[in-house]
Amino acid sequence: MYAFEHHQAKSVADAAALLAKTGGKALAGGQSLVAAMKLRLAQPGHVVDLSGLAELKGIRREGDHVSIGAMTRHAEVASSDVVKGAIPALAALAEGIGDRQVRNMGTLGGSLANNDPAADWPAAVLGLGATVVTNKRKIAADDFFKGMYETALAADEIIVSVSFPVPKKAAYAKFPNPASRFALVGVFVAQTASGVRAAVTGAASSVFRCKPVEDALAKSWTAAAAKAVKVSATDLNSDLHGSPAYRAHLVSVMAARAVDAAG
């Protein structure tokens, strides 16, 4: 580790002002930022701590949406009766993130702001067509994710909450890396008021919607229809864990498993 200045934000407005003034990084649960700092992949001179901001925490039902505060821990989502009753797919997804320590420290907002290409939450946000609410505006899921570790957030913009529309059916299935539990490939499928959505994480440089799977499930919401889709391997990741062709195959397999789980 190296020297940096720690700031404890007193409010969202205070945090935004500190970020604008110092050019520093916001600290949520620390499961991504602290690890990157230890490896010196990130070296901010200032860190703005959001952990004391009660206004960024909590889960509530708002009509046909579920609003989850940005500083809500994964474990809190996994155990929430509100989430289990309205969108059980989110509770199941949260329960499968990392290990117990990660789930009790990591946050929804931190995961989205970091936008790791193999993270689980981006698939849920994009798969449900959720809305990311910041201290400045509301951002539709389709406009939020811009690329590897890149989002639509400005330097002094902070995620306040995420509004998830309650779907008719939804589920998430992933093939996890056995060590990190990140998704080698993860697919979130949903029947929403605007149609079928299928979001894929882990397979490419950023989360993306898979139109071939969406089109197949719009015609027939069955595991067989999802599994029959031939996904292109173009632009998919290649590493020691799997080739682009292997990941393309896994997209169809995980989509089929998600449909089975959704019912």
Side-chain angles (χ1 to χ4, degrees):
M1 195 65 82
Y2 58 93
F4 61 89
E5 189 169 347
H6 176 271
H7 306 268
Q8 186 71 54
K10 298 179 177 63
S11 67
V12 172
D14 180 43
L18 284 168
L19 289 172
K21 179 181 178 181
T22 65
K25 291 284 189 180
L27 176 67
Q31 299 306 290
S32 299
L33 180 59
V34 172
M37 290 171 67
K38 286 181 177 179
L39 294 172
R40 303 213 170 189
L41 297 174
Q43 300 185 43
H46 298 263
V47 172
V48 179
D49 194 337
L50 308 178
S51 62
L53 304 184
E55 59 195 296
L56 296 182
K57 301 175 184 179
I59 301 169
R60 60 187 180 277
R61 179 76 181 257
E62 298 178 336
D64 59 355
H65 286 69
V66 172
S67 178
I68 303 179
M71 282 297 295
T72 305
R73 313 289 180 177
H74 308 316
E76 293 170 330
V77 178
S79 63
S80 168
D81 289 336
V82 173
V83 175
K84 289 178 181 179
I87 316 177
L90 294 184
L93 178 149
E95 182 62 36
I97 294 175
D99 54 26
R100 185 171 296 178
Q101 178 175 330
V102 169
R103 291 192 293 274
N104 278 283
M105 289 299 296
T107 66
L108 167 62
S111 176
L112 296 180
N114 187 55
N115 192 24
D116 189 293
D120 298 308
W121 275 119
V125 170
L126 190 58
L128 286 170
T131 300
V132 179
V133 181
T134 77
N135 58 317
K136 295 183 175 183
R137 55 183 169 149
K138 296 180 179 179
I139 310 172
D142 289 319
D143 300 323
F144 183 79
F145 304 102
K146 297 298 185 180
M148 183 181 288
Y149 298 107
E150 184 182 1
T151 71
L153 293 172
D156 60 344
E157 196 167 11
I158 297 168
I159 299 174
V160 174
S161 63
V162 181
S163 180
F164 293 92
V166 177
K168 299 173 185 176
K169 295 180 180 180
Y172 177 64
K174 72 173 176 179
F175 191 89
N177 179 305
S180 68
R181 306 298 295 173
F182 273 106
L184 189 63
V185 169
V187 181
F188 195 104
V189 298
Q191 287 183 341
T192 73
S194 60
V196 172
R197 297 175 69 99
V200 180
T201 187
S205 59
S206 184
V207 64
F208 65 94
R209 287 178 64 181
C210 187
K211 192 174 187 303
V213 171
E214 291 179 346
D215 291 344
L217 292 179
K219 294 177 181 177
S220 174
W221 181 267
T222 62
K227 197 169 184 179
V229 175
K230 302 299 181 184
V231 177
S232 172
T234 303
D235 296 328
L236 297 190
N237 293 337
S238 178
D239 54 31
L240 62 97
H241 302 296
S243 67
Y246 181 58
R247 282 184 162 88
H249 171 70
L250 279 179
V251 170
S252 299
V253 174
M254 292 302 109
R257 292 183 184 179
V259 172
D260 259 343

